[in-house]
Amino acid sequence: MRSTYSDDRILQCAFLRVGSFPEILACESVDIDLCVCSLHLKDLLQVDTALRQEKHLMFIQILKACLLDFFPKKKPDDELCQKVLSKQEHDLEELEKGLQARLANTEMLGTGDSGYVSLADVERKERELSEQLIDNMGAFWKQMESIQPTLMDQFKCSSSKARQFMMTLTGRMIVAEGLLHDSQDLHVLDTLERTMGRSHLARMVEFLRTQIQEETKCRLAAISRGLELLTVQGQLSGRQKEELLTQQHKAFWEEAERFGREFTQRGKDLVQASQARQAEAAAELTQTQEEERRSFLADSQLTSDPGEFLKAFHEVLERQRLTRSDQEGDEDTRITEAMAALCQELYCSTMGTFQKFVDSLFLKTLPEVTSLPVAECETLRQQVQEQAARQLGQADRFRRRQWGLLCDLLEQDKRVWLEEGTLSTVLQRQLRDHHESTIHGVLSRFSGLSEESSRGILQGHELLLCSALRRLALRGTTITALAQMRLSGKKRLLQELHEQLALEQGVSPCLEEHQWQLLRALEARIQEEAARLEDEAQQTGLRLQQQLLAEAQEAGRLLQLHMERVIGQALLVHARNVASKGRTREKEDFKRTLVETVVESVYVTSTSVNRLVQAHYQAVGKLLQAHEEQLLQRLKTLQGERINAYKLWKKQEFSDPSLESQTADGTHGASQGVQQRMLSQQKRLLDQFTKHQQGRLNSQRQKAQELDQLQAQLETQLQEAEQTLISELSTLARVPLPENKPFSNKRGLPEKPVRTKRKKPPPREREDLGTPNDDHLALADHTTGPLRCEGFQPTAFLLPPVKCLESGNDSSQEYPKSVEPVGMAKIRNTSGRSCWRGYEARGPLSSTAGVPVFKSH
């Protein structure tokens, strides 16, 4: 049979909306569990707010210290530094204001004009608060990203220095996040202790307040028994007894109601006074702590030791938070003591009034009604008081047992909270391992990234992951509180059953058969409700944990988007560096100088140029052929190694003794259940899949490394062949290379050699020069690329063979396919020789000024 506390009924259960703990003490008929848990949620939100503000303060101080470290010429009061810091402070203030406005709107949703709130509204509000806090976390990440372009724009620093700045800033923020995480764990435990203490104090005041009802019942029962004795003796009629009992009931319960009204009224006055006193003390403490923070920041040195400064600043803020917490706890204790003193005062006053009622009944009313002597009425009064004392003693023993059960329940709740905290820690560790393995796996696929870039990416990922896990840890504590609120009804029912059992067992040591049957039925009911509570706790925890995992996925999505953007930027920088590798200005100047010198040189002939070109072609062809052979050989070797490794892995898998034992156990099926075998098989399959995937990734990584090595080797060989061609061409043209400097030296080039003077052609003949065709317009407008191999295809570093028409010599030569004469113009030189002029070299020696012109003599 399903419990009466269904999900819909629980979620729609309304309880008093309270803003502080004293309000719970002053209200009557309040659900203490739900109200205290709602205060617990409020305290957790305050913890998050305090830690977020501390994070912003530490971020500004870390940013200031980094500016002073990287720009030592800038003073702390420098206008540019102050501008950057003011901009960041303003953005953080706007970010916090927007968040507080959204949080306030969320607090007002579903409230209406009622002073009560439902559990469904609380869960919806907490879910929306969590989403807004995650969005705020993402906004802070974006604000941190904006610092690097600000540095490059405002301080005119290089991108490399800006990246180093961000890495230093990120590293110090990781330290700050670690301090904040430890502080959050401490405050969560402190909040749990305060919640348990509040439950204890509220239950104690409730016990004191309901004690008057037990006194009333016991005294009225004793009076009823005394009047019944007079009725049996015939000294009091039944009608008179009923009239006297009615009068006594009315008087006693009116006095008990007066006790409740006066306690509520005076309790509210105490609460208002306590809130006013607490607000005044909080304002003074806030002002004092603000002055303490300013004094600390003014006296401390940011650049002396950043780590020690962060720890010292955190200790100051932590001590201030603990001081505020202690102040609130002291005020809770003070108001509880005041409420208990008020209850004791009203209790003594009410007991005096009860005694007057009893004295008036037995010493004044009964002698007049029954004509009994005063001495007999006094004796009867003493008997009634003794009977009332015995009943009050039994009630007191029951209340003590009841209080013990309540303390046990609080201890059990505390253990549940701590267990959930441990599970939350395990979940955080799993999420951390998952995200770290993911980012390392992603970076392992980009072997071209530099170590510095990978370290910066991992460092940024660590910072964001710490921030996200800290938020999820606090959300997990909130989930635990919501689960306890959902289970409060069933726990209350089980507590009432335990109290009823304790009451029945304390009635008499000797019980009749039907009483024993009732006790056994009650114990069975308790066991049944306990089983239902455990099952409901598992289902409720599972549903709420699914919400937490969904929010963890959302935070992981934000983290993934951020890291995708960061990795994309790193890959873009890497691609630009690779594309510009070797494209130094000195190289381009030397090649341009060499081309112009060869064109003007009188030492270069068609035969010598063709010999160099053909030798270069042959060298490049041999290099490509050797590269292809090495490539095929390495691919075959890697494939064979992979096949052998796969066979070995399959052989080890089938010969695994644990697998055989599991199969044997599954065959017998005596000690292992179906669910356990399925879980074991699922784990084994997941392990196989992970190993197989890791093996494939390792194989692909090894293959990529081999290909990179072969490509790098080919590029080096092509560059050497290119250097050889340049050296031979320089020797042929008698152009000196840089003295004692390799070609790749970036310091500069020697001065241009003296060109051979020649007369400029007439304007008419110069107009006849050929122009590049449409297919080569783009080549003529672009900067010459590096001397390297792209995609394993040789770049044609070739001089076109010159077709010269000597006197009486009409020989011609074929042009290589990669070099075609473009726009030839026949020019007559002073010696009477005619030559073809206006060739375009389709290679790395092509000039940026247009088509290089070669001259043959």
Side-chain angles (χ1 to χ4, degrees):
M1 185 178 65
R2 186 167 177 80
S3 175
T4 55
Y5 289 93
S6 62
D7 293 340
D8 296 337
R9 183 174 178 181
I10 292 175
L11 293 177
Q12 298 303 323
C13 177
F15 58 95
L16 184 66
R17 184 191 305 275
V18 293
S20 62
F21 174 66
E23 296 180 14
I24 300 177
L25 302 179
C27 296
E28 194 173 4
S29 300
V30 64
D31 194 325
I32 294 178
D33 294 332
L34 294 179
C35 291
V36 170
C37 284
S38 66
L39 291 180
H40 183 82
L41 295 176
K42 185 177 180 181
D43 291 342
L44 291 179
L45 183 60
Q46 291 177 355
V47 169
D48 182 80
T49 302
L51 294 179
R52 185 173 60 255
Q53 293 175 354
E54 179 181 351
K55 179 180 178 180
H56 293 172
L57 290 174
M58 297 179 74
F59 169 70
I60 294 298
Q61 297 303 318
I62 291 173
L63 178 59
K64 184 177 180 180
C66 290
L67 290 175
L68 296 179
D69 290 343
F70 278 80
F71 306 99
K73 297 182 179 179
K74 302 289 184 181
K75 297 182 179 180
D77 56 351
D78 183 77
E79 181 180 358
L80 194 55
C81 291
Q82 291 298 324
K83 181 179 179 181
V84 174
L85 293 174
S86 300
K87 176 68 166 54
Q88 293 296 324
E89 290 179 354
H90 178 267
D91 292 344
L92 289 177
E93 290 177 358
E94 292 297 325
L95 191 63
E96 185 65 22
K97 288 180 180 178
L99 176 62
Q100 292 300 329
R102 293 192 298 272
L103 293 181
N105 293 334
T106 304
E107 287 282 350
M108 298 303 296
L109 290 177
T111 59
D113 299 331
S114 175
Y116 291 83
V117 61
S118 65
L119 185 56
D121 294 336
V122 173
E123 290 189 1
R124 182 169 56 253
K125 182 195 71 174
E126 292 295 330
R127 186 166 55 251
E128 294 177 358
L129 289 178
S130 178
E131 295 174 357
Q132 293 168 1
L133 291 174
I134 291 178
D135 293 340
N136 179 265
M137 180 178 61
F140 179 78
W141 294 349
K142 291 183 179 179
Q143 181 174 342
M144 282 192 61
E145 288 181 358
S146 66
I147 296 178
Q148 184 171 349
T150 301
L151 293 175
M152 299 176 64
D153 295 339
Q154 300 293 331
F155 290 85
K156 306 301 180 182
C157 65
S158 63
S159 59
S160 176
K161 188 174 183 179
R163 286 195 298 271
Q164 290 292 335
F165 183 96
M166 291 302 300
M167 289 182 64
T168 303
L169 177 66
T170 303
R172 296 179 182 179
M173 284 299 297
I174 290 176
V175 176
E177 275 292 342
L179 296 175
L180 293 176
H181 193 281
D182 296 338
S183 179
Q184 178 175 286
D185 293 342
L186 176 64
H187 282 286
V188 166
L189 292 177
D190 182 67
T191 303
L192 177 59
E193 291 291 341
R194 184 189 304 176
T195 300
M196 296 293 104
R198 284 173 172 174
S199 298
H200 187 274
L201 295 176
R203 294 291 186 183
M204 183 183 67
V205 173
E206 184 185 26
F207 264 63
L208 293 176
R209 186 171 54 195
T210 57
Q211 185 179 3
I212 196 67
Q213 299 178 1
E214 296 294 334
E215 290 279 351
T216 303
K217 293 178 181 179
C218 292
R219 291 182 182 274
L220 287 176
I223 291 173
S224 176
R225 186 180 295 272
L227 295 179
E228 182 68 25
L229 181 60
L230 293 178
T231 304
V232 172
Q233 294 176 357
Q235 298 176 356
L236 189 66
S237 64
R239 181 178 180 182
Q240 290 174 338
K241 185 193 73 169
E242 293 297 331
E243 291 178 355
L244 292 175
L245 281 178
T246 301
Q247 294 175 3
Q248 294 300 312
H249 272 272
K250 181 179 180 181
F252 271 79
W253 287 113
E254 285 181 353
E255 184 64 21
E257 291 177 0
R258 185 193 65 81
F259 170 88
R261 288 193 305 269
E262 188 171 356
F263 178 83
T264 302
Q265 183 61 39
R266 294 177 62 179
K268 290 181 178 179
D269 296 339
L270 290 176
V271 169
Q272 292 178 0
S274 173
Q275 290 177 345
R277 183 171 58 253
Q278 187 174 358
E280 182 180 358
E284 295 178 357
L285 182 61
T286 301
Q287 184 177 0
T288 303
Q289 291 180 349
E290 183 66 26
E291 295 176 356
E292 182 183 3
R293 285 197 297 267
R294 286 198 296 265
S295 176
F296 174 82
L297 294 177
D299 297 339
S300 60
Q301 297 292 332
L302 292 177
T303 58
S304 58
D305 191 347
E308 293 298 329
F309 168 77
L310 286 179
K311 291 181 180 179
F313 188 43
H314 172 71
E315 289 177 359
V316 171
L317 300 177
E318 182 72 14
R319 185 172 61 254
Q320 291 180 354
R321 281 194 298 269
L322 292 177
T323 302
R324 290 194 298 268
S325 178
D326 293 340
Q327 186 185 65
E328 295 176 0
D330 294 341
E331 187 60 33
D332 290 344
T333 304
R334 188 181 299 110
I335 186 61
T336 304
E337 292 176 352
M339 297 292 284
L342 174 61
C343 189
Q344 186 67 25
E345 177 187 349
L346 295 177
Y347 174 80
C348 294
S349 175
T350 304
M351 290 301 100
T353 304
F354 285 173
Q355 189 63 39
K356 291 179 181 179
F357 291 161
V358 174
D359 294 342
S360 175
L361 174 62
F362 287 96
L363 301 181
K364 184 178 179 181
T365 305
L366 284 179
E368 295 178 356
V369 174
T370 61
S371 301
L372 288 175
V374 177
E376 294 183 5
C377 293
E378 176 65 23
T379 302
L380 183 60
R381 183 182 69 84
Q382 292 179 359
Q383 294 177 359
V384 168
Q385 289 182 346
E386 292 175 359
Q387 180 67 24
R390 286 192 296 269
Q391 293 184 359
L392 289 173
Q394 294 179 357
D396 184 66
R397 288 191 295 271
F398 170 71
R399 288 169 63 83
R400 290 179 183 274
R401 181 70 182 276
Q402 189 179 15
W403 180 256
L405 292 174
L406 178 61
C407 292
D408 293 341
L409 180 62
L410 292 177
E411 288 295 330
Q412 183 179 358
D413 290 343
K414 185 177 180 180
R415 287 195 299 270
V416 171
W417 284 79
L418 295 177
E419 289 176 359
E420 292 296 332
T422 304
L423 294 177
S424 177
T425 303
V426 174
L427 176 61
Q428 293 177 49
R429 188 180 300 112
Q430 292 178 352
L431 291 176
R432 174 180 290 275
D433 294 341
H434 170 70
H435 284 283
E436 288 181 351
S437 63
T438 300
I439 190 66
H440 281 90
V442 170
L443 292 180
S444 65
R445 289 165 172 78
F446 301 113
S447 58
L449 289 178
S450 64
E451 182 179 356
E452 181 182 0
S453 299
S454 300
R455 186 170 64 253
I457 293 173
L458 292 175
Q459 198 176 38
H461 181 268
E462 175 69 17
L463 174 61
L464 305 187
L465 184 59
C466 289
S467 180
L469 291 179
R470 185 167 62 84
R471 170 91 280 278
L472 292 175
L474 199 61
R475 175 58 176 165
T477 308
T478 303
I479 290 292
T480 303
L482 294 175
Q484 295 301 311
M485 295 176 73
R486 278 197 179 191
L487 299 174
S488 62
K490 284 186 173 295
K491 290 193 296 184
R492 189 183 308 111
L493 175 61
L494 187 61
Q495 178 71 11
E496 292 174 355
L497 292 176
H498 279 292
E499 293 175 357
Q500 184 179 356
L501 179 62
L503 180 62
E504 295 294 336
Q505 290 176 347
V507 171
S508 175
C510 298
L511 300 176
E512 297 180 358
E513 182 63 26
H514 70 280
Q515 293 176 332
W516 281 109
Q517 293 179 358
L518 291 177
L519 283 179
R520 285 194 294 268
L522 185 58
E523 292 174 353
R525 174 73 185 281
I526 290 175
Q527 293 178 359
E528 181 183 357
E529 289 298 331
R532 290 179 180 175
L533 176 61
E534 183 178 359
D535 182 65
E536 186 69 20
Q538 293 180 357
Q539 295 181 4
T540 301
L542 180 61
R543 287 193 294 267
L544 294 178
Q545 286 294 328
Q546 289 176 353
Q547 294 183 11
L548 180 61
L549 292 178
E551 295 176 7
Q553 291 179 356
E554 178 64 20
R557 187 186 65 83
L558 291 178
L559 181 60
Q560 179 182 352
L561 292 177
H562 180 85
M563 295 313 301
E564 285 177 355
R565 184 165 59 252
V566 172
I567 294 176
Q569 293 174 356
L571 291 175
L572 181 60
V573 172
H574 172 69
R576 289 174 177 173
N577 293 335
V578 172
S580 62
K581 182 179 180 181
R583 291 191 180 185
T584 60
R585 184 176 180 180
E586 292 80 1
K587 287 185 178 181
E588 300 301 324
D589 292 342
F590 182 81
K591 288 190 294 183
R592 188 180 298 109
T593 301
L594 182 60
V595 169
E596 294 175 356
T597 304
V598 169
V599 170
E600 301 294 337
S601 177
V602 296
Y603 302 103
V604 179
T605 63
S606 61
T607 303
S608 61
V609 170
N610 287 333
R611 185 172 60 252
L612 292 179
V613 169
Q614 293 299 330
H616 180 71
Y617 265 130
Q618 293 176 0
V620 170
K622 291 179 180 179
L623 291 177
L624 289 177
Q625 183 178 1
H627 172 75
E628 293 292 340
E629 293 176 355
Q630 292 180 359
L631 179 62
L632 292 176
Q633 181 64 30
R634 290 305 303 164
L635 291 178
K636 291 180 180 179
T637 303
L638 292 175
Q639 185 178 8
E641 292 177 354
R642 181 181 176 184
I643 293 175
N644 294 333
Y646 179 76
K647 291 180 179 179
L648 179 61
W649 174 66
K650 294 296 291 184
K651 182 178 180 180
Q652 293 177 352
E653 177 186 356
F654 284 110
S655 63
D656 190 0
S658 61
L659 180 61
E660 295 177 359
S661 62
Q662 290 177 3
T663 306
D665 293 342
T667 304
H668 294 85
S671 60
Q672 189 177 21
V674 177
Q675 183 178 5
Q676 185 177 0
R677 293 198 302 272
M678 291 180 62
L679 291 176
S680 177
Q681 185 178 9
Q682 181 182 9
K683 182 179 179 181
R684 182 171 58 84
L685 292 176
L686 289 177
D687 292 341
Q688 292 177 1
F689 174 77
T690 303
K691 292 180 180 179
H692 183 63
Q693 185 183 28
Q694 188 64 35
R696 294 188 61 185
L697 290 177
N698 293 336
S699 176
Q700 293 295 330
R701 189 181 299 111
Q702 185 179 4
K703 179 180 178 181
Q705 291 176 355
E706 293 289 343
L707 294 180
D708 290 342
Q709 292 178 0
L710 292 177
Q711 183 178 2
Q713 179 182 356
L714 178 61
E715 290 181 355
T716 303
Q717 293 173 350
L718 290 176
Q719 289 178 1
E720 292 176 355
E722 182 184 72
Q723 179 66 23
T724 302
L725 179 60
I726 291 175
S727 300
E728 294 178 354
L729 186 60
S730 300
T731 303
L732 182 64
R734 300 185 181 182
V735 177
L737 292 174
E739 296 182 359
N740 299 327
K741 295 179 181 178
F743 177 72
S744 60
N745 197 325
K746 297 183 180 180
R747 292 185 179 182
L749 294 172
E751 296 181 358
K752 294 182 179 180
V754 180
R755 302 181 182 180
T756 304
K757 294 183 180 181
R758 70 178 181 87
K759 295 182 180 180
K760 296 182 179 179
R764 181 181 56 82
E765 294 185 9
R766 293 180 64 189
E767 293 175 357
D768 295 336
L769 291 175
T771 57
N773 57 19
D774 295 338
D775 296 334
H776 300 127
L777 288 178
L779 178 63
D781 293 336
H782 283 74
T783 306
T784 304
L787 304 177
R788 57 174 297 181
C789 173
E790 299 291 346
F792 305 109
Q793 295 298 327
T795 301
F797 177 77
L798 299 175
L799 294 176
V802 184
K803 181 178 181 181
C804 296
L805 299 177
E806 302 288 349
S807 300
N809 186 3
D810 195 13
S811 62
S812 61
Q813 296 179 353
E814 294 294 333
Y815 295 95
K817 295 182 179 180
S818 59
V819 180
E820 300 176 15
V822 180
M824 300 182 182
K826 192 173 183 180
I827 302 175
R828 175 76 57 180
N829 59 17
T830 56
S831 62
R833 297 175 181 175
S834 54
C835 66
W836 290 102
R837 185 172 179 197
Y839 296 100
E840 177 184 2
R842 283 183 157 186
L845 286 182
S846 57
S847 173
T848 58
V851 181
V853 179
F854 299 91
K855 184 178 179 181
S856 177
H857 296 275

